[in-house]
Amino acid sequence: MSDGIMSKAATMEIPISSNGDAGSLPEDDGLEQDLQQVMVSGPNLNETSIVSGGYGGTAEGIIPTSTIKGSGLHQPHPSPAVGGEEVVRGIAVEKFDIVKKWGINTYKCTKQLISERFGRGSRTVDLELETQIELLRETKRKYECVLQLARALTNHFYSLVQTQHALGDAFADLSQKSPELQEEFGYNAETQKLLCKNGETLLGAVNFFVSSINTLVNKTMEDTLMTVKQYETARLEYDAYRTDLEELSMGPRDASTLCRLDAAQSQFQSHKDKYEKLRADVAIKLKFLEENKIKVMHKQLLLFHNAISAYFAGNQQQLEQTLKQFNIKLKTPGAEKPSWLEEQ
């Protein structure tokens, strides 16, 4: 491949080895999911605009229909009926062009995807970047597991605190109504109330931990993975138009082919630019995400450890100091739910 077609500074094309089993297509769930992703971005049939780019396109290249001049006869005073027919005809042509562009783009991407899966083509691979992406997906799955367990712990512990609160009230009531056991019921009531108070404090710390991990997983990581999906779509389009250009370059060089070759070169360059921009965006987001993850988790793991340790050691002072250290404020006593985070 010539240098004009693709730069190999940070990427390389690797052939996909064939498994020799064409009958495995219906069982390839990954291929089916990728094909669904190819087909999901349908054409934009907005009556007020023409969208260029088709599959996976952005708002770039939108041409207001008001700027498109008709080719009909110029009449000093066209009748409303004739004008209406021209508008309807123009909208129909616009929609047809949109569907046509989207269909061609989708066909090329689908062809490229199947070719890659069955070893008859090549795909562009940035090994370092794709390794980081896979690591992020694995990290997100593990953090989601931690988040699920932490939420379960919060729910279970909340039920425990509620039970301790009810038990303390029952002991206090019996202390007043049982003179012969007033002292015994009394100090048990005080113990349960103290455990309940400490439990509410611990719940505040654990809930803050859950809230922070949820933000990291479902907002910060998810935002980066959305950019990754855009990058993967752009990579598929880039390879599809690269393959198309290569096939045309190996064909005869008559006038018709040269015209198609120029168009293919232009389309290829456009998709190459989009791919390289998104590749750079992903690399930057992955870098910042890793820095943010370390910062957030360092704080949250320290909070979780200190709060749990202080609670089960019965160290009320250390438990309260932990919440002050991390600027966690609890709801006032008598609130409907104990310890839910108000503000950081």
Side-chain angles (χ1 to χ4, degrees), residues 100-263:
K100 180 180 178 182
K101 290 177 182 178
W102 174 80
I104 292 173
N105 195 69
T106 302
Y107 166 75
K108 290 181 185 295
C109 292
T110 304
K111 178 183 175 183
Q112 174 66 25
L113 182 62
I114 294 175
S115 178
E116 291 177 5
R117 289 301 175 91
F118 286 92
R120 294 189 293 269
S122 63
R123 65 185 294 262
T124 302
V125 177
D126 187 324
L127 293 176
E128 181 180 358
L129 190 62
E130 294 196 10
T131 299
Q132 293 176 6
I133 290 171
E134 185 54 37
L135 180 60
L136 169 59
R137 287 183 168 133
E138 180 63 24
T139 300
K140 185 172 183 287
R141 285 190 290 268
K142 292 179 179 179
Y143 276 44
E144 284 172 340
C145 181
V146 169
L147 179 60
Q148 181 181 9
L149 292 171
R151 281 174 169 160
L153 176 64
T154 303
N155 292 332
H156 295 324
F157 203 78
Y158 175 71
S159 297
L160 173 62
V161 170
Q162 292 293 87
T163 302
Q164 288 174 329
H165 189 277
L167 186 58
D169 289 344
F171 283 151
D173 181 63
L174 285 167
S175 176
Q176 296 176 359
K177 297 178 180 179
S178 305
E180 70 282 0
L181 294 172
Q182 182 177 11
E183 184 179 349
E184 287 83 352
F185 276 127
Y187 59 65
N188 272 282
E190 291 301 319
T191 298
Q192 291 303 316
K193 288 181 180 179
L194 177 60
L195 289 173
C196 185
K197 179 182 178 182
N198 290 346
E200 290 179 353
T201 305
L202 178 61
L203 272 173
V206 176
N207 191 66
F208 184 69
F209 176 84
V210 168
S211 177
S212 298
I213 302 303
N214 180 64
T215 299
L216 178 63
V217 171
N218 292 315
K219 292 185 179 179
T220 312
M221 289 184 178
E222 188 60 30
D223 174 72
T224 301
L225 286 174
M226 287 298 294
T227 305
V228 167
K229 290 177 183 178
Q230 295 172 3
Y231 158 74
E232 291 173 339
T233 297
R235 196 283 306 166
L236 181 64
E237 291 178 329
Y238 165 68
D239 279 335
Y241 282 87
R242 173 183 57 79
T243 300
D244 187 50
L245 178 60
E246 289 172 353
E247 291 175 353
L248 284 173
S249 299
M250 293 185 292
R253 297 302 182 94
D254 53 33
S256 175
T257 303
L258 289 175
C259 182
R260 292 172 57 196
L261 191 60
D262 288 342

